[in-house]
Amino acid sequence: MAVAYPHSTPEPAANLMVSAAVTPPCPSAALTQDDLKKIAAYKAVEHVKSGMVVGLGTGSTAKHAVDRIAHLLQQGKLTDIVGIATSMKTHDQAVSLGIPLSDLDTHPVVDLAIDGADEVDPDLNLVKGRGGSLLREKMVESATTKFVVIVDESKLVKHIGGSGLAMPVEIIPFCWSHSLKRLVNLFADSGCEGKLRRDSSDGNGEIYVTDNGNYIIDLYFERDIGDLNEASDAILRLPGIVEHGMFIGLATSVIVAGVSGVTVKTKVGSEMEVDSFCYNDLRNGF
């Protein structure tokens, strides 16, 4: 069972000092969303150094990062890497590619984690877990010294929940309907709707079960839910709740791939540094 953890309140993005490397728009060939994900992933893997313990994320974007790490290991450009997988799917991928794996029991401090996100707000708070791995992702990524998030520009939102898509909450199976109703009631002022996740999109499939044997309630918001720390604490105080998909203040950097280039946003104390790159600057290895 999760408990509310200590947190600091981030300074609003509007008050942050931004240091930006201004780069003029650069033309690029027609890029698919998967191309953008791969570009962001390859850029993130530049942070991986030999001898590191690396948290391996889950999802379509993180998959490219895992592939890239394996490729560099095979080339001998990286050595002595130890991976910690955030899901059984990533575990199986890493094993198939020959990436050595361990766990948090053996390596309680992770040097670097790379993972995707479903939403990123202006303060680099995230929604994760639409792929169902939010608990293990948060365990690994809260234990890392540096957490690099990789997204395409479609994942940027003005506020958490702003995409209109799900904010997942992992719950124990016992009396799941009761938990669903209590979660929805918490956010009634935000026009919250909750649904038990199932294997099929039409809602008639088998109940989705996480790697941990739990269920997921997907919450949808019509309006901003307000203070994220308060929302987090309110969710975690409910008996039967395991964890939620808001990753508040955990991201160190966010790499955003867009049609005109890559933007890297990095927290440095109370400031936000922003760097931009043309795709012509990122051809190495892509």
Side-chain angles (χ1 to χ4, degrees):
M1 187 68 63
V3 296
Y5 46 83
H7 41 61
S8 58
T9 302
E11 188 175 351
N15 294 330
L16 295 176
M17 295 178 63
V18 177
S19 171
V22 179
T23 305
C26 47
S28 60
L31 295 168
T32 66
Q33 187 178 37
D34 193 60
D35 289 333
L36 298 178
K37 291 177 179 181
K38 181 180 286 188
I39 290 167
Y42 279 32
K43 183 65 178 172
V45 173
E46 293 178 7
H47 293 272
V48 180
K49 307 300 179 186
S50 294
M52 278 188 169
V53 177
V54 181
L56 305 176
T58 297
S60 58
T61 308
K63 178 181 182 297
H64 290 306
V66 176
D67 286 339
R68 179 64 173 164
I69 291 169
H71 182 65
L72 294 175
L73 282 169
Q74 291 161 7
Q75 290 183 322
K77 294 180 179 179
L78 286 177
T79 59
D80 300 319
I81 295 295
V82 175
I84 299 182
T86 56
S87 67
M88 289 305 301
K89 186 173 183 178
T90 300
H91 175 278
D92 293 344
Q93 179 194 5
V95 168
S96 73
L97 295 171
I99 299 176
L101 294 178
S102 188
D103 54 38
L104 291 175
D105 291 333
T106 306
H107 298 280
V109 178
V110 180
D111 296 308
L112 170 70
I114 300 174
D115 205 352
D118 302 306
E119 290 185 359
V120 180
D121 79 2
D123 293 308
L124 308 191
N125 299 309
L126 317 172
V127 168
K128 291 178 51 55
R130 289 179 190 155
S133 303
L134 60 118
L135 176 57
R136 296 191 187 192
E137 288 173 335
K138 189 172 285 189
M139 289 179 68
V140 173
E141 290 152 9
S142 65
T144 190
T145 302
K146 188 174 187 179
F147 177 25
V148 178
V149 179
I150 47 179
V151 296
D152 65 83
E153 60 188 355
S154 70
K155 304 302 173 63
L156 301 181
V157 295
K158 293 181 179 179
H159 58 82
I160 291 301
S163 69
L165 301 176
M167 194 283 282
V169 180
E170 188 161 343
I171 66 169
I172 66 168
F174 177 71
C175 295
W176 64 262
S177 181
H178 174 73
S179 294
L180 187 156
K181 291 173 184 176
R182 297 194 73 183
L183 286 167
V184 169
N185 287 339
L186 276 181
F187 300 104
D189 291 343
S190 298
C192 181
E193 179 184 358
K195 295 181 180 179
L196 179 68
R197 185 177 297 186
R198 294 184 181 272
D199 285 327
S200 63
S201 58
D202 62 10
N204 295 320
E206 295 293 322
I207 295 174
Y208 178 86
V209 179
T210 71
D211 287 344
N212 316 298
N214 296 315
Y215 293 172
I216 288 181
I217 300 295
D218 287 319
L219 300 180
Y220 303 84
F221 306 105
E222 293 182 358
R223 294 176 291 280
D224 192 341
I225 63 173
D227 186 286
L228 299 182
N229 289 321
E230 291 182 3
S232 170
D233 289 347
I235 292 171
L236 296 177
R237 280 196 295 267
L238 295 178
I241 303 303
V242 179
E243 190 52 88
H244 59 71
M246 293 185 291
F247 285 50
I248 305 168
L250 292 181
T252 308
S253 298
V254 174
I255 299 175
V256 184
V259 294
S260 60
V262 171
T263 301
V264 181
K265 301 181 179 182
T266 304
K267 290 181 181 177
V268 181
S270 61
E271 299 182 7
M272 187 85 73
E273 292 187 354
V274 182
D275 295 304
S276 299
F277 303 88
C278 278
Y279 286 123
N280 289 338
D281 301 326
L282 299 169
R283 292 299 182 191
N284 184 28
F286 179 65

